[in-house]
Amino acid sequence: MVFSVLLGTYPILVKSSAVAPGSLPSWNPVVSCTALLTTIEGVIGNQANANGGATYGGGGFIPGIPNKRSTSPPCSTNGNATFVEIHGVQMLTLYYAVEDCAQYPNGNFCDTTFNVQDPKCASSDLYMCRLHVEVDQAWKSAGIAPQNPPVTTQLFDIQGFVYWDSEHTNADFHSFSGWEIHAVSAWRFSSSATPDFGLTIDPSKLRVQQGSSSMATLTVNSLDGFAGMVTLAASVTSTIANTTTLSLNPTTVSITSGGSATAILTIQASQSAPIYKYWTVILKGTSGSGTHTLFVTLAITMPPPDFSISPNRTSMTVSIGSSGTSTITLASLYNFTGTVSLTASVSPADTTASLSPVNPTVSFSPAIVSLSANGTGMSTLSVSASLLTTPGTYTVAITANSGTISHSATVTVTITL
C-alpha cells in the first residue's frame, strides 16, 4: 500500500509496513528521527486541570522539544522520545487558523494551526480527547514543511514533535492544555481494510440564537464496504444541557455498502442559554461494538437588538361619552436602545359597530417612549367614545415602530350605552 505524503511542492512516496513502535520511519526526508507510535491520549496523559485540559505533569512525553521553531529538533530529551506518530485523528472543527506570522529572509511565513481529536476517545472530558497541532512558519521558510492538510472530516495520520506551550493553558482554542504537536513534519490520510463508517455534518460550525432553533444535516458514510444499521445520539456539554436541547430524526439509519444516510439535527436554545462561540455538540454513531464520535463547535449567539410590546388589558368596556385606558409596556430585548413611536387604528369588529358614523378615538401618553438597554417604558392608551359612536365591538390595532423594527398588539373595545 502506498501513501502520498505532501511535502513542500513535491509529493514523497512512503511505503507503509508493519514496524515495531519506536522505530517507525519518518515520512519527511529531512527528519532523521524514528517515530514512536502513540495516541492523543498518550501525548497529553490523563491528568485534567481545572479547565478540563491536560496538565504538564501528566504528559506522556515530558518535557518535549525545547524549541518549537527548530527545524532540526532532538529525537529525545532527557531520555524521553519527542518524535511521534498518531493514527486516525480528525479535525475538531472544519477550518484552520493562519497566525503568528514572521518575516524571514525569503518572505513572510505563518503558522497553520488547528485542533485534532480522537474520534474513538471514551473520556467524558472532551478536552482530554483533543490535541493542538501546528505546521510551523520556520519549517515553511526552510521549504521542509508539509502542505496544509485539507479541511475534511476524513481521518488522517500525523508525524511531528511533542512540545509544551505554557502560554495557552487557559485558552479554549488550545484545548486548555499546553501540549501540542509542533512542528507537524508530515501527514497522510488514514487507511483501513476493516469495514467501518464515518460521521460528517453540514454546516460544520453550528449556530443558534437564544430563544430560537437551528438545524443541520448529519451524514453517516459507509467506509471500506461497511453495511448495516447505525444508531445515532446527540448531546451537549453539561454546562448548557439545561438550556439547550438536541434532537435527531431519525435516530437509526441503514447504510448500504458504499452508500450513506442522513439525519436532521435540531438545536433548540432557550432565551437563557449562555452566549459563547465554542460550546461543543457531541454526535455519536454506534453499530454493534463500534462507536464513532464527532465533536462539533456550537456558537450560541444573542439575537439582534429588539423590543416587545404588551398591553396590560387586551379588552375593555367603555360607555358612550366616556373613556377607558390600557397600560402599554415596552421592553428592551438584547440590549436594544432607542425611541419607540406608538400609533393606533380603530376598526369595527362586528356588524353593529360597522354602522357607527364615528369610531372611538385613541391617544397615547406619551406617544414616543425611550428605552435604555434591557429597560422598560410605559405609555397609557386612552380610548374614548363620543355620543355619536354606535354601541358594538371595535378593534384597536396598536403599532410600535423604531427604525426598521415594528411590533403590534390589539385591544378589543366594547362600547355600551
Side-chain angles (χ1 to χ4, degrees):
M1 187 177 297
V2 177
F3 295 97
S4 176
V5 181
L6 304 178
L7 297 167
T9 57
Y10 303 97
I12 305 294
L13 296 182
V14 179
K15 290 187 177 180
S16 174
S17 58
V19 182
S23 59
L24 297 173
S26 169
W27 306 332
N28 189 324
V30 304
V31 177
S32 60
C33 306
T34 54
L36 180 65
L37 184 64
T38 186
T39 63
I40 289 177
E41 296 89 332
V43 172
I44 68 175
N46 57 11
Q47 294 180 8
N49 59 35
N51 293 318
T55 65
Y56 174 78
F61 293 84
I62 297 173
I65 60 173
N67 179 9
K68 68 180 180 181
R69 297 295 180 207
S70 173
T71 54
S72 56
C75 300
S76 63
T77 303
N78 294 347
N80 290 332
T82 61
F83 188 57
V84 298
E85 180 175 327
I86 305 175
H87 292 175
V89 301
Q90 184 180 55
M91 294 186 76
L92 177 61
T93 51
L94 297 184
Y95 64 91
Y96 52 75
V98 177
E99 57 189 3
D100 200 6
C101 303
Q103 187 65 40
Y104 289 79
N106 59 334
N108 188 270
F109 295 91
C110 309
D111 291 337
T112 298
T113 73
F114 54 101
N115 289 279
V116 293
Q117 62 192 357
D118 180 355
K120 296 183 178 181
C121 179
S123 174
S124 59
D125 181 350
L126 301 178
Y127 295 109
M128 300 303 289
C129 303
R130 302 174 180 177
L131 182 62
H132 188 76
V133 299
E134 303 199 13
V135 180
D136 183 71
Q137 51 171 258
W139 286 56
K140 293 179 181 179
S141 172
I144 61 174
Q147 292 181 2
N148 295 336
V151 175
T152 178
T153 57
Q154 187 171 346
L155 300 183
F156 58 98
D157 308 334
I158 59 174
Q159 283 187 342
F161 291 87
V162 177
Y163 178 74
W164 172 263
D165 189 342
S166 60
E167 295 183 359
H168 301 304
T169 55
N170 291 318
D172 183 279
F173 81 91
H174 214 277
S175 297
F176 293 117
S177 168
W179 290 115
E180 58 183 56
I181 300 299
H182 191 153
V184 172
S185 63
W187 62 270
R188 68 186 184 189
F189 285 120
S190 298
S191 179
S192 171
T194 303
D196 204 349
F197 64 90
L199 304 175
T200 62
I201 195 162
D202 183 31
S204 58
K205 292 189 69 176
L206 306 176
R207 299 178 64 88
V208 65
Q209 289 184 350
Q210 290 174 316
S212 63
S213 63
S214 64
M215 293 189 297
T217 301
L218 177 65
T219 301
V220 186
N221 298 293
S222 166
L223 302 175
D224 300 308
F226 173 88
M229 304 296 292
V230 178
T231 300
L232 303 172
S235 60
V236 291
T237 50
S238 58
T239 308
I240 60 171
N242 292 333
T243 58
T244 307
T245 59
L246 305 179
S247 62
L248 281 165
N249 184 28
T251 56
T252 301
V253 295
S254 176
I255 308 176
T256 58
S257 177
S260 64
T262 60
I264 300 301
L265 172 68
T266 301
I267 307 167
Q268 178 71 53
S270 70
Q271 290 188 343
S272 61
I275 295 171
Y276 187 50
K277 292 182 180 180
Y278 301 107
W279 295 121
T280 300
V281 170
I282 307 102
L283 300 169
K284 287 188 177 183
T286 302
S287 181
S289 60
T291 297
H292 289 292
T293 304
L294 179 63
F295 300 113
V296 188
T297 297
L298 169 66
I300 297 179
T301 61
M302 180 184 294
D306 202 352
F307 64 86
S308 64
I309 178 174
S310 176
N312 76 322
R313 298 173 64 189
T314 57
S315 63
M316 68 175 75
T317 300
V318 178
S319 300
I320 289 178
S322 63
S323 62
T325 62
S326 177
T327 300
I328 309 301
T329 299
L330 300 169
S332 164
L333 302 175
Y334 314 114
N335 295 320
F336 172 89
T337 59
T339 57
V340 180
S341 301
L342 295 169
T343 58
S345 62
V346 181
S347 59
D350 61 22
T351 55
T352 301
S354 65
L355 301 175
S356 178
V358 178
N359 287 337
T361 58
V362 296
S363 63
F364 293 96
S365 179
I368 298 177
V369 178
S370 295
L371 293 178
S372 59
N374 300 318
T376 59
M378 296 182 181
S379 177
T380 300
L381 167 70
S382 296
V383 182
S384 301
S386 73
L387 296 176
L388 299 178
T389 301
T390 300
T393 302
Y394 299 80
T395 299
V396 178
I398 305 166
T399 302
N401 285 303
S402 181
T404 59
I405 305 174
S406 180
H407 292 288
S408 61
T410 58
V411 175
T412 301
V413 180
T414 301
I415 306 299
T416 61
L417 292 173

